[in-house]
Amino acid sequence: MAEIRIRNTNERISGEANVKAFLEKQEVLYEHWNAAKLPAELQGKFSLTDEEKSQILATFDEEIRDLASRRGYQTWDIVALSDATPNLDELLKKFEQVHTHTEDEVRAITAGKGIFIIKGTDDVGYFDVELEAGDVISVPEHKPHFFTLMENRQIVAVRLFIETEGWIAHPFEDPTFQKA
């Protein structure tokens, strides 16, 4: 279940209803899918074949299509990151820069853990959304954010896009942002 840490105050928000209510106020969509639907052999696997990626997409096909129809997403894929990913640290450096997109950034976590750092309203500032299997988040277009892995450095997620070529990051310079 997702948990939030507000960076300015170190306040933590937990519990599905509380997380959802907080994120709604920040214009961020949060849902929860049943991650236990995923076959056991894929629940802890972070280096995937194309066939295994297809199996994950098929497992969550109903949820993906429901979300896509409600939000206008046209295409989706699987991203899997772990220490087995070539050039993982270089890839993460690219992710770990505050940026925006011209469409939502959507992740449905099917295994592992990750964290979105999002710029909230002026009274909140930046906050972390710690995600695990079953958590679904959609950061709206033009909202400054970035994504990275948590200490386990393993994640598998469904990504959904409006634009068929995927999203493009636009750097967002913010002198008020502090890494930790």
Side-chain angles (χ1 to χ4, degrees):
M1 195 66 53
E3 189 168 301
I4 294 168
R5 179 179 72 95
I6 299 173
R7 289 176 165 233
N8 290 338
T9 62
N10 222 23
E11 175 189 355
R12 293 191 86 75
I13 300 169
S14 58
E16 186 173 354
N18 296 331
V19 166
K20 188 172 181 141
F22 173 84
L23 290 175
E24 276 180 9
K25 288 180 185 170
Q26 301 301 315
E27 301 176 332
V28 175
L29 173 81
Y30 173 78
E31 298 180 359
H32 196 79
W33 294 353
N34 179 8
K37 285 177 59 171
L38 195 63
E41 66 272 11
L42 292 176
Q43 289 182 14
K45 190 165 186 190
F46 299 95
S47 184
L48 302 169
T49 65
D50 287 343
E51 184 177 307
E52 289 166 329
K53 289 178 181 181
S54 293
Q55 188 177 1
I56 292 169
L57 291 173
T59 299
F60 293 103
D61 186 66
E62 184 177 326
E63 293 88 344
I64 292 167
R65 290 185 185 283
D66 175 61
L67 183 58
S69 71
R70 287 185 283 129
R71 309 273 298 187
Y73 306 129
Q74 302 295 313
T75 188
W76 41 88
D77 66 10
I78 294 286
V79 63
L81 299 172
S82 71
D83 285 325
T85 304
N87 304 316
L88 179 64
D89 289 322
E90 291 173 34
L91 189 61
L92 289 175
K93 282 180 189 168
K94 198 168 74 173
F95 289 164
E96 293 173 348
Q97 302 295 322
V98 178
H99 61 269
T100 62
H101 304 285
T102 56
E103 70 172 90
D104 303 348
E105 182 166 345
V106 186
R107 298 290 179 273
I109 311 305
T110 64
K113 295 180 178 182
I115 184 167
F116 266 99
I117 294 85
I118 303 170
K119 184 173 185 168
T121 54
D122 289 343
D123 61 317
V124 171
Y126 281 90
F127 59 92
D128 302 346
V129 184
E130 301 168 2
L131 303 164
E132 61 186 36
D135 292 325
V136 181
I137 190 168
S138 177
V139 179
E141 62 182 321
H142 306 299
K143 187 171 259 316
H145 70 280
F146 73 88
F147 177 82
T148 193
L149 300 179
M150 293 179 70
E151 65 283 346
N152 68 344
R153 293 172 52 97
Q154 297 176 321
I155 197 161
V156 176
V158 177
R159 306 183 303 176
L160 293 93
F161 305 98
I162 294 171
E163 300 296 330
T164 53
E165 64 273 0
W167 54 256
I168 298 167
H170 301 282
F172 182 83
E173 296 300 323
D174 187 349
T176 67
F177 175 72
Q178 296 178 12
K179 272 265 188 197

